[in-house]
Amino acid sequence: MTTEIQRESKLDWMLMGWWLAVVCAVIGLADSIYLTWLKISGELAVCGGIGDCESVNSSIYSQINGVPIALLGAGAYILILLFLFLESRDDFLGDWSPLIVFGLSLTGTLYSIYLTYIEIAVLKAICPYCVLSAVAVLIIFVISIVRLRRSDTH
């Protein structure tokens, strides 16, 4: 009976972790789309007096070869959502999606750490939208670690 309760608890946590990862990916996607739109349109960010969005979003660090970093982030969040939704639909993807989400979120977290360093040390300006994206991808990364560890302990 204890084993059955433990298995149900594990499944409940896995489902809750999956939903939290989906919510964070949707928030990150919306945030990245907004930042991409700001970069492409030249509009000013609505920061409400918190941080310095314009200094960050107009810096040389906000794009790679003319492609906005936020657009790359949106692509990563789309891929994360895609693999989260597809993992229950196919045995192959069910086996590999958690690892792919881990890899994507690890890459996003490491790049967010680099960009946060640039904001603090080089630009001396913080963009709250960038922080939101960094937190979203970090939460997805932590969840992906827990999901991988739990899936290994059948």
Side-chain angles (χ1 to χ4, degrees), residues 56-72:
V56 175
N57 205 32
S58 63
S59 76
I60 62 169
Y61 302 100
S62 67
Q63 57 188 12
I64 297 175
N65 292 330
V67 178
I69 294 295
L71 183 60
L72 300 175

Side-chain angles (χ1 to χ4, degrees), residues 2 31 71 74 102:
T2 304
D31 182 57
L71 183 60
F102 167 79

Side-chain angles (χ1 to χ4, degrees), residues 63-84:
Q63 57 188 12
I64 297 175
N65 292 330
V67 178
I69 294 295
L71 183 60
L72 300 175
Y77 286 118
I78 288 169
L79 286 173
I80 288 170
L81 283 168
L82 178 71
F83 283 107
L84 284 170

Side-chain angles (χ1 to χ4, degrees), residues 79-154:
L79 286 173
I80 288 170
L81 283 168
L82 178 71
F83 283 107
L84 284 170
F85 282 112
L86 290 178
E87 74 182 35
S88 65
R89 307 209 186 278
D90 182 280
D91 287 339
F92 177 79
L93 289 175
D95 291 340
W96 289 100
S97 285
L99 189 58
I100 294 168
V101 169
F102 167 79
L104 288 167
S105 62
L106 171 62
T107 303
T109 298
L110 292 174
Y111 200 68
S112 291
I113 290 168
Y114 164 73
L115 290 175
T116 301
Y117 165 78
I118 293 296
E119 285 182 282
I120 294 169
V122 177
L123 300 176
K124 305 207 183 328
I126 298 290
C127 169
Y129 297 105
C130 303
V131 172
L132 177 63
S133 181
V135 169
V137 78
L138 177 63
I139 291 170
I140 295 168
F141 175 62
V142 170
I143 290 168
S144 72
I145 292 171
V146 174
R147 290 181 77 222
L148 281 175
R149 290 180 50 92
R150 294 230 175 179
S151 67
D152 284 345
T153 58
H154 300 288

